[in-house]
Amino acid sequence: MEPAQTPTEATSTTPLRAVALVCSLRPSPASSSSQLLAEQTMEALKEHGVTGKVIRVADHDVKPGVETDMGDGDAWPGIRETILASDILILSTPIWLGHPCSLAQRVLERLDAEIGETDDEGRMLTYGKVAGVCVVGNEDGAHNVSADLFQGLNDVGFSLAPNAVTYWVGEAMHGTDYQDLDKTPEKTAATTATLAANTAHLARRLKAAPYPAS
């Protein structure tokens, strides 16, 4: 008889699903640094047995509001279904005026509805799901933006691993964009790898040991 697996061995290869919501203000097919960093993060997650998809929010008619479905052609219910079917949510945003962009804020506002959506044990449906953040911009502000998003994501039930943000910011008052760089900076690549490793690790642990009933 083979020896029983330890909890670590039993969960280390559990397949996971992720979705990255790109909050660039520009719809496809316009190029986007936020999209690029989100795609790089998804590639890093693949190394940890995570598959999924990238959704650019501007390509969809996500209505303003704080309900799960705002009606009248609202695209959020379909995106929400993808989030709830995933173990990991990556939220990618540019910095505008020192803050997350308006579409990132809209995503948080729509996720606010999850506070009132619970399972049979009183837990939000987002409990057990792990979030990560990608930030790009041409001036400082990545820490402020990630702090804003971390707080909002935690409020609506997502868990955050250590170092759950990857970012790049250019020199102030300059016009170079992340997607204009000849290659990914080593520090950003390393931070993306850490985000992927820690986020996948936490998602597997929560899948094996769910939070207690509320």
Side-chain angles (χ1 to χ4, degrees):
M1 179 180 295
E2 293 184 1
Q5 288 182 310
T6 66
T8 298
E9 291 169 339
T11 59
S12 62
T13 58
T14 302
L16 297 173
R17 293 282 299 171
V19 59
L21 300 186
V22 175
C23 297
S24 169
L25 297 179
R26 295 176 292 188
S28 301
S31 59
S32 163
S33 290
S34 299
Q35 176 105 12
L36 175 59
L37 188 53
E39 290 173 347
Q40 290 173 338
T41 300
M42 294 294 279
E43 283 297 316
L45 283 166
K46 281 184 182 180
E47 298 181 15
H48 301 277
V50 183
T51 59
K53 63 191 297 186
V54 177
I55 298 173
R56 196 184 295 202
V57 178
D59 293 344
H60 305 272
D61 187 12
V62 175
K63 304 290 186 183
V66 291
E67 305 293 336
T68 58
D69 188 345
M70 298 304 297
D72 192 26
D74 183 20
W76 181 253
I79 295 174
R80 177 177 181 264
E81 184 177 341
T82 301
I83 294 171
L84 293 181
S86 301
D87 305 290
I88 296 169
L89 170 65
I90 301 297
L91 192 56
S92 186
T93 181
I95 300 170
W96 282 112
L97 301 174
H99 297 278
C101 76
S102 58
L103 282 183
Q105 180 64 30
R106 179 164 298 187
V107 166
L108 290 180
E109 289 165 354
R110 297 307 303 268
L111 285 170
D112 183 75
E114 301 307 324
I115 295 174
E117 302 290 325
T118 59
D119 64 14
D120 293 340
E121 295 189 326
R123 297 171 298 201
M124 279 189 271
L125 303 182
T126 47
Y127 271 27
K129 301 185 186 299
V130 182
V133 170
C134 303
V135 183
V136 292
N138 285 322
E139 58 187 74
D140 201 5
H143 285 172
N144 178 64
V145 168
S146 60
D148 283 352
L149 297 183
F150 282 177
Q151 182 65 54
L153 289 164
N154 189 253
D155 281 350
V156 297
F158 290 90
S159 297
L160 298 159
N163 303 118
V165 60
T166 183
Y167 65 88
W168 177 86
V169 288
E171 187 177 353
M173 306 302 230
H174 282 239
T176 301
D177 207 352
Y178 182 63
Q179 62 188 334
D180 299 328
L181 303 178
D182 293 332
K183 64 177 183 178
T184 302
E186 291 182 7
K187 291 292 187 181
T188 300
T191 305
T192 300
T194 299
L195 181 157
N198 290 354
T199 297
H201 174 85
L202 179 57
R204 284 197 173 89
R205 294 303 173 271
L206 291 178
K207 206 172 182 70
Y211 287 116
S214 297

